[in-house]
Amino acid sequence: MVYESTSLADFREQLRHPKKLVISYFGAPWCGPCQMYSPQYEALAHATPAGHFIKGAREALFCRAGRKLT
C-alpha cells in the first residue's frame, strides 16, 4: 500500500512509522518521467509488505511549507 502524503507535517508523521523501512517518492504532476515511474513504485509497494511507502508531490510538501526547491 502507498500512503499519499498531502502536507509536510503529514509526511513527517509518516516517517515515524514503527518497525518498517520507510521508502518515500516525490514526484510532480507535470513531470513526465515521474508519471512513468509512479506505477512501478506502486507495484514495488504491493510486492514489499515489509516497507512503508510514502508518495507525495514536491510542491505540496515543500513549497506550501515555505521552503524553496533547488
Side-chain angles (χ1 to χ4, degrees):
M1 179 181 146
V2 176
Y3 181 84
E4 299 247 358
S5 188
T6 57
S7 70
L8 188 56
D10 182 44
F11 177 73
R12 286 182 177 155
E13 182 62 32
Q14 290 301 311
L15 290 178
R16 295 187 180 113
H17 202 276
K19 300 180 184 176
K20 285 194 174 188
L21 175 66
V22 175
I23 301 110
S24 59
Y25 163 67
F26 301 102
W30 48 263
C31 174
C34 297
Q35 298 307 312
M36 291 186 335
Y37 176 70
S38 188
Q40 295 174 352
Y41 184 76
E42 299 269 342
L44 180 62
H46 291 294
T48 313
H52 181 64
F53 290 77
I54 307 169
K55 182 178 180 181
R58 294 177 51 212
E59 289 83 2
L61 294 176
F62 298 107
C63 292
R64 288 185 195 158
R67 299 179 190 234
K68 291 184 179 181
L69 296 175
T70 57

